[in-house]
Amino acid sequence: MLTFIQDVRYGWRMLQKNPGFATVAIITLAVGIGANVAIFSYVDELWLHPLPVPHPDRVVRIFTSNPSSKGEIEQGYSSYPDFEYLRGNAKTLSGVALHEGRGAMLDTGAENKLVTAAVISDNFFDVLQPQPAVGRLFSESEFQSGGGPRIVLSYPFWQRQYNGDLSIAGKTIILDRQHVTVTGVLPRSFRGTEAMLVRDVWIPISTWKQLIGVEQRLTLRGSRDYELFGRLQDSASLSQAQAELAGISTQLASAYPESNTGRKITVIPESHARADVIVKFGLILLGVAALVLLIACSNVASLLIARTEYRRHEIATRIALGATRIRIICQMLTETMMLALVGAAAAIWVGNTLLHALPRLMPQMTFSVGVDAYLSSRGLIVAVLVTVGSMLVFGLVPAVLASRTVLADTFRQRTETARVRSVVRSVLVVGQVALSLVLVVCTGLLTRSLLHALGMDPGFNAHQQMLVIDFVPETGKRDSDVNYVREARRRIEALPGAGPTTVAMRIPFGLSGGGATHKVFVPGSLASTDPQGTTINFDPVADNFFGVLGTRILRGRPIDARDIQTKAHVVVVNQQMASRFWPDDDPINKRVRL
């Protein structure tokens, strides 16, 4: 121990004598290790870390396969009636919960803004059991006794919209033109069950019914828009749950052949379901960080070798006074580790700064992207391990070379030592150049892809000034809704400076209605031989939709006011659908059945 203390004191004096070298080495290590700490913490906290709920290993995802002509999609969504059936019949699960991504309009008093909503079953928090950061989370039992609409806020939305107001619980906000009560705020660590998107508000389905009315949709077995989650019973295993759900899928197919024939229900751990989505992207990020770290360590190793050459006379003197090679190596490694520790401390600051800066560097969007990460305990452990490992690997070679210094009475021996150092430096330089070229090539490819994406034709005029109004008719009656929309359009078009208007359920790159699908049958088409039909995306639109957006019609004509008035059975298809169903024919005047 006394020897180690002496090495530390001596190393500290040597670093003080060479502040330039120490500063460059520390900055290099701080950048290399800090990037690794930030990226690992980002990947770990957002994707790899288990859900912050009790016993996350017992939480599972439940999928219903979707057979089609393109092949079976095993991890498909489920219908609400299937969810209800599973709740009542799955004995290996202590609870089954439901989740669907939607959009809602928030009235802030100064403006209306679109927020992302997680529509969940009333028992969602009973099943997953997260702990609130503020207030409380609603439970299914409180909806059975009635009461007004209520919601829960996500942590980022609470900070962004309400500045972290600790008294938010119990307050009323206006959502979709109705007053709803905020019961609490989810913890910062609970970002939901999606890989990237952090939902702003969490709405129980009982509240969602009061906001927009979805009773009819909840009875449709063909409406498969819901993600299902479950929690295993303490005495049940994953294989037992899978066997039971396989039997339930057979029961559903027998009872409801039109909607459930050929569909299989599978269950997998929740952590695996999330990892399947982002593991490749996470590995790419970690790989880039590793390359940056290797380059940084190579630079530090080169600095250490150059410094060893500068200290050759000092080391030779110590050898002449009786210092052994092991003693020289220990001294040099001690100095290297002192550099590494200071660099690691700076790296933790750099990594934490990067994590805090990342959300502010993201472009402004109408929804929250899951980039809100923070330095975790596992991130700190990785910082220490990376520091120690990298310095042992890249600090050992300079230390060994220093221990091979000989007294300067033999020119031949000095030449051999210099030749070894030259070879090591050459290897390090070649490695640095190779790694740097990899990063440069990757950066060039990424930049080219980004420029290509920015220059892509989105299919409409994205450069014109356009106002998008999101509204929900209050009447709920079809004829009254049509008259409401017609009158709204007439008044808007009469405003000074206003142009033509149109109506659609989905807008380009919008959040609301993004999952609208339909089954289509095309007589005589090889692409539509599936007896259950082929699933396509659709968008109900009014007249002048393509004219307002500036979308070109390649063949035929757009939908016009006459089609709306006569309730004509007409559709406009895109190039992808035309190529899929009529690859060698003209799609104009062809018939499809919905």
Side-chain angles (χ1 to χ4, degrees), residues 115-118 120 125 131-134 136-138 151-165 168 173 182-194 196-203 367-370 372:
V115 297
T116 56
I120 56 179
F125 295 130
Q131 296 299 313
V134 175
R136 63 178 183 83
L137 307 180
F138 50 75
I151 63 170
V152 167
L153 307 181
S154 69
Y155 190 95
F157 182 70
W158 172 58
Q159 291 286 334
R160 185 175 67 251
Q161 184 66 37
Y162 300 102
N163 297 316
D165 181 10
I168 189 67
I173 64 175
V182 177
T183 65
V185 179
L186 286 164
R188 181 181 183 182
S189 57
F190 190 87
R191 298 177 177 86
T193 56
E194 298 172 86
M196 284 294 292
L197 186 62
V198 180
R199 298 285 170 178
D200 295 326
V201 295
W202 295 70
I203 307 176
F367 54 92
S368 302
V369 178
D372 178 30

Side-chain angles (χ1 to χ4, degrees), residues 15-48:
L15 293 178
Q16 286 182 316
K17 288 180 60 177
N18 297 273
F21 160 78
T23 301
V24 172
I26 290 171
I27 292 176
T28 304
L29 289 173
V31 172
I33 299 175
N36 276 263
V37 170
I39 291 179
F40 175 83
S41 296
Y42 177 75
V43 174
D44 176 50
E45 288 296 320
L46 295 186
W47 297 324
L48 304 182

Side-chain angles (χ1 to χ4, degrees), residues 312-324:
R312 184 163 54 87
H313 295 292
E314 170 215 332
I315 296 172
T317 302
R318 297 187 63 191
I319 293 175
L321 294 175
T324 63

